[in-house]
Amino acid sequence: MTDATTDTTIDRYKPPALRALPSAERAPFYARLRALRPDIERPLRLLYGGRGDFAMWLRSLIDVAAQAYAARSADLRRLDLERMAVPDWFQDPSMIGYVCYVDRFAGTLDEVRDKIDYLEELGVRYLHLMPLLAPRAGQNDGGYAVADYRQVAPALGDMDDLARLADGLRARGISLCVDLVCNHTAREHEWAQRALAGQKDYQDYYHMFADRSGPDAYERTVREVFPDFAPGNFTYQPEIDRWVWTTFHDYQWDLNYSKPAVFSENLSILLFLANRGVDVVRLDAVAFLWKRLGTDCENQPEAHGILQALRALSRLAAPGLLLKAEAIVPPPQLLPYLGQGPATNKECELAYHNLLMVMLWSSLAERKVALMTQALGKVARIPSRTAWVTYVRCHDDIGWAVTEEDAGDAGLNGHAHRGFLSDFYAGQFPGSFARGEVFQFNPRTGDRRISGACASLCGLETALEHGDHAAIALAIRRILLLYGVIFAFGGTPLIYMGDEVGLTNAYDYRQDPNLSADNRWLHRPYMNWQQVEERHDSDTAAGQLFAGLRHLAMVRGQMPALHAEAERHPVWSHNESVFALIRDSQRGRVLILANFSELSQTVPRYRLDELGFAGRLRNRLRDEVGAYGDNDGDNDGDNDGDAVLDGYEIMWLES
Ligand code: OTU
């Protein structure tokens, strides 16, 4: 005999929220509940199972999911069915992403709708709009300090505008991604305000300490993310005589996920966004979700439990929704965010490939690919129904995530190499083509990260300034080389707004007192629509870049072998400047060769043979069939079967 209070099973539970639905609409929910029950219960029991009222609380979560499901529009429910029928929809090679700030790109959410033609022209199928929920007034870390998760920033529009935009994008085959800043709220959020007013239940939403002993103990082992403008990890609140955990800025309060209420609140916000038509939620700073004394308080097993539970519950209500992990951590700590062990394919579907991004810039500075080949070669394969999000630049800085071990394997000294990269991209290394700035110099560790727009880091800013045509051409080739790698690597490549027309560093943030301390605004420009007008003029940098990216998108879309599921193997090309990557699956084999030097480079014919790319190969990017690897002895006189790459050329070769 079981009753409502002791029965811990949820698979027979009939949430009241579903009563109003026709039975044909209830059935899929119940089917999913039975199927997902273990995935919902397993992580939550580990996290919160010790509570006496666990079973009741679990049911309350099913109620949250049921309410969201009942409120989900017919269109979105149809989309859910489509996606369940084609679960690799997001892994298709036609998925090309674009990232922008609503205001800096178009103005308002409504005005983004007017730009859909433009995005479509570029080949975009996935649009990540940077934080757009109501932030605190004044400084807000680019929107990552949210005061209200259920309101859009008034300057950008409202929730109806967001839903309308999502509809408009969907009608054109473009998925919408928005941020959920789930690790922290703004100090101005209602929960924090209640905590400051002394309400104990809301103080429990955060990590609060009566004196310095707790903070001091934790600070022995946690790192400082913003050592320069936000040193330390705790902030004193005189109103309540408490220290509050603030990993990032002092106005960003870390949430305390050991409290079930915090989990429930975030679940309902997640589903609220899903029902506005959001397809992908970027979960910000997920590495930091759980704190454990004596550790770096990152990547704790419980953080994974939270994500797995969010994922299983969102599958129940909105199965078309994807989760994207923003964890800028080394690969061994990163891979679990895509699910492992019993959670394989059951955590986040997408995760940012920070190491790839760092390696692109490292190889470009060094003109050598040993480190990149070594380091990427060690990254384990990812679950079949997950994908990397690949990128060249994003709104954040570049941190030189080069381990001593990887550096050593490539014959480098890690400390020296990281220093070299900072010097190079700050434009301080002799002969550097780059123009960037140092972000968050940490005198304690010597660490220096880098800010700067892709085009400026690739040399376009300096070249344009000098009117140096040869240098302009090289800079354009560098940009297209980096994008050529991320488009072929597998997963969803992101075009960062402005890169497609070569926007360079934007220095005007220095005049804005809310932004001036944070030079990441250097690479968060306003769109230059005049420059966009030049996109069909092949005499301009904008024209060449736009055409180049469009071409990459188009060719990629026609290559099933580049499906996200295809494995990737970095291999030695036998040329220290040419990065070689093989994509391999039942869908086909592709050899990617990327020349990171400005000089012409050769990959010898015997090496192409060894890699299994003998015979006449087709370079899909030039749509030409070459004698690469031609070992039929016809000695056609041009290159004897070697692959000869121009400076900064990239080839996508298929047999
Ligand atoms: C994220 O980044 C955002 O991308 C940043 O723009 C925010 O400032 C920050 O969160 C706070 O919301 O520290 O330097 O290891 O590196 O989550 C960027 C993960 C950050 C962190 C990452 C974070």
Side-chain angles (χ1 to χ4, degrees):
M1 258 288 288
T2 52
D3 64 37
T5 46
T6 57
D7 182 5
T8 54
T9 62
I10 47 172
D11 43 359
R12 287 189 302 273
Y13 178 53
K14 306 259 184 270
L18 300 188
R19 273 181 210 140
L21 292 182
S23 71
E25 294 286 347
R26 285 199 301 262
F29 186 93
Y30 292 137
R32 293 206 292 268
L33 180 54
R34 277 191 298 279
L36 289 164
R37 186 190 55 80
D39 297 335
I40 296 171
E41 258 193 59
R42 178 176 30 81
L44 289 173
R45 197 170 282 287
L46 286 173
L47 288 164
Y48 309 113
R51 295 164 43 106
D53 60 349
F54 178 71
M56 287 306 288
W57 179 70
L58 201 55
R59 286 189 172 194
S60 75
L61 296 181
I62 306 301
D63 284 328
V64 171
Q67 279 152 21
Y69 175 71
R72 197 157 168 82
S73 73
D75 272 357
L76 292 175
R77 281 200 215 147
R78 205 164 28 243
L79 185 72
D80 290 337
L81 292 177
E82 282 172 27
R83 290 185 174 166
M84 284 188 287
V86 186
D88 67 339
W89 64 274
F90 65 96
Q91 298 178 299
D92 193 87
S94 65
M95 282 308 269
I96 306 293
Y98 191 83
V99 188
C100 61
Y101 290 89
V102 172
D103 55 344
R104 289 170 179 247
F105 177 59
T108 63
L109 288 169
D110 264 348
E111 287 165 313
V112 173
R113 278 200 296 156
D114 302 334
K115 305 293 184 200
I116 297 179
D117 285 343
Y118 174 72
L119 296 172
E120 203 167 49
E121 186 188 336
L122 188 54
V124 170
R125 298 270 326 276
Y126 168 111
L127 178 63
H128 174 199
L129 296 177
M130 294 298 293
L132 50 78
L133 300 179
R136 75 194 290 267
Q139 287 189 17
N140 60 40
D141 190 21
Y144 285 102
V146 178
D148 187 345
Y149 294 93
R150 291 174 196 270
Q151 298 292 332
V152 165
L156 308 180
D158 61 25
M159 277 294 166
D160 291 336
D161 298 336
L162 182 65
R164 230 183 345 263
L165 174 60
D167 282 349
L169 290 167
R170 193 175 322 113
R172 307 282 284 274
I174 302 176
S175 298
L176 174 63
C177 170
V178 304
D179 283 82
L180 174 51
V181 187
C182 55
N183 176 69
H184 43 269
T185 73
R187 186 183 195 273
E188 288 68 23
H189 190 283
E190 187 193 330
W191 305 333
Q193 288 299 304
R194 286 174 182 263
L196 281 173
Q199 290 188 31
K200 172 80 177 71
D201 43 345
Y202 284 95
Q203 289 183 354
D204 281 350
Y205 274 40
Y206 300 94
H207 300 273
M208 303 228 167
F209 303 87
D211 56 48
R212 274 300 303 184
S213 58
D216 287 344
Y218 281 107
E219 278 194 331
R220 261 173 237 131
T221 51
V222 298
R223 69 179 167 122
E224 282 175 298
V225 178
F226 298 139
D228 177 6
F229 52 51
N233 282 270
F234 299 86
T235 306
Y236 182 67
Q237 311 297 332
E239 294 92 327
I240 47 175
D241 188 25
R242 288 283 182 281
W243 290 85
V244 174
W245 199 309
T246 53
T247 298
F248 300 96
H249 294 90
D250 55 12
Y251 52 77
Q252 288 163 306
W253 290 20
D254 288 47
L255 285 162
N256 183 355
Y257 276 88
S258 74
K259 298 294 186 280
V262 170
F263 179 87
S264 315
E265 299 265 23
N266 267 277
L267 173 66
S268 66
I269 293 166
L270 179 69
L271 298 180
F272 172 80
L273 292 173
N275 277 358
R276 306 276 95 56
V278 170
D279 299 282
V280 181
V281 173
R282 174 193 181 275
L283 296 166
D284 184 57
V286 288
F288 298 88
L289 291 182
W290 195 273
K291 325 293 187 194
R292 174 170 282 114
L293 193 61
T295 72
D296 60 1
C297 296
E298 289 183 54
N299 314 304
Q300 297 299 307
E302 291 85 350
H304 293 288
I306 292 160
L307 297 171
Q308 288 158 22
L310 283 177
R311 200 266 191 189
L313 286 158
S314 70
R315 272 297 141 103
L316 187 57
L321 181 76
L322 301 184
L323 302 184
K324 176 167 69 167
E326 193 261 343
I328 308 306
V329 300
Q333 284 79 48
L334 174 60
L335 260 77
Y337 290 97
L338 293 173
Q340 66 178 17
T344 298
N345 282 321
K346 292 176 176 179
E347 196 165 319
C348 294
E349 285 79 10
L350 300 166
Y352 286 87
H353 203 319
N354 179 62
L355 180 66
L356 173 62
M357 184 275 290
V358 169
M359 287 300 119
L360 291 172
W361 293 106
S362 171
S363 298
L364 196 67
E366 214 196 341
R367 278 84 162 176
K368 291 198 176 72
V369 300
L371 178 62
M372 179 172 183
T373 309
Q374 279 281 355
L376 291 176
K378 288 184 204 156
V379 180
R381 56 184 296 192
I382 59 175
S384 56
R385 281 296 161 260
T386 66
W388 290 118
V389 173
T390 61
Y391 60 112
V392 170
R393 282 300 287 118
C394 71
H395 68 291
D396 282 330
D397 51 290
I398 308 174
W400 300 117
V402 176
T403 65
E404 301 307 323
E405 193 202 324
D406 287 348
D409 287 351
L412 298 168
N413 170 295
H415 181 78
H417 188 61
R418 291 191 297 271
F420 158 68
L421 292 172
S422 294
D423 287 344
F424 190 92
Y425 286 107
Q428 290 157 0
F429 191 84
S432 168
F433 47 74
R435 199 174 279 183
E437 288 182 8
V438 169
F439 177 74
Q440 303 296 312
F441 170 56
N442 186 335
R444 207 166 43 79
T445 60
D447 187 40
R448 285 175 296 160
R449 287 135 70 183
I450 288 290
S451 284
C454 173
S456 295
L457 297 181
C458 282
L460 190 59
E461 187 175 331
T462 312
L464 286 170
E465 208 172 86
H466 297 161
D468 179 338
H469 293 285
I472 293 172
L474 282 177
I476 291 170
R477 293 181 72 88
R478 287 185 196 108
I479 297 169
L480 292 174
L481 170 75
L482 302 185
Y483 272 98
V485 176
I486 68 155
F487 272 58
F489 192 83
T492 305
L494 302 180
I495 299 171
Y496 186 65
M497 188 208 83
D499 288 357
E500 75 273 29
V501 290
L503 292 194
T504 51
N505 289 340
Y507 297 95
D508 46 355
Y509 78 95
R510 292 175 182 163
Q511 271 74 61
D512 185 331
N514 281 329
L515 310 181
S516 57
D518 187 343
N519 67 17
R520 289 178 297 175
W521 291 98
L522 200 55
H523 51 265
R524 299 170 179 176
Y526 280 88
M527 188 45 134
N528 183 334
W529 290 101
Q530 236 160 324
Q531 213 156 309
V532 170
E533 289 295 306
E534 297 171 359
R535 71 188 181 282
H536 301 134
D537 180 351
S538 59
D539 290 337
T540 64
Q544 289 166 33
L545 286 167
F546 193 88
L549 285 176
R550 219 173 98 111
H551 183 64
L552 287 173
M554 195 198 63
V555 174
R556 180 184 140 109
Q558 294 163 356
M559 289 178 68
L562 294 181
H563 188 284
E565 200 180 338
E567 282 201 53
R568 56 192 67 73
H569 310 284
V571 290
W572 296 109
S573 67
H574 287 199
N575 181 315
E576 64 177 3
S577 294
V578 179
F579 177 66
L581 180 80
I582 295 177
R583 300 293 311 282
D584 193 359
S585 72
Q586 259 95 24
R587 295 179 172 87
R589 291 181 87 227
V590 192
L591 173 65
I592 289 105
L593 296 178
N595 176 7
F596 278 84
S597 87
E598 50 269 81
L599 306 176
S600 173
Q601 299 289 340
T602 299
V603 175
R605 157 179 153 178
Y606 72 85
R607 186 56 183 154
L608 300 177
D609 285 352
E610 284 169 358
L611 294 173
F613 284 84
R616 298 184 78 78
L617 301 175
R618 187 163 163 217
N619 179 5
R620 297 294 302 259
L621 287 177
R622 287 207 182 169
D623 208 24
E624 66 184 15
V625 179
Y628 323 108
D630 180 3
N631 51 11
D632 64 7
D634 72 350
N635 267 332
D636 49 7
D638 50 5
N639 56 25
D640 203 17
D642 300 337
V644 181
L645 295 98
D646 289 343
Y648 296 128
E649 183 175 0
I650 180 162
M651 294 176 171
W652 295 355
L653 299 171
E654 270 183 336
S655 308

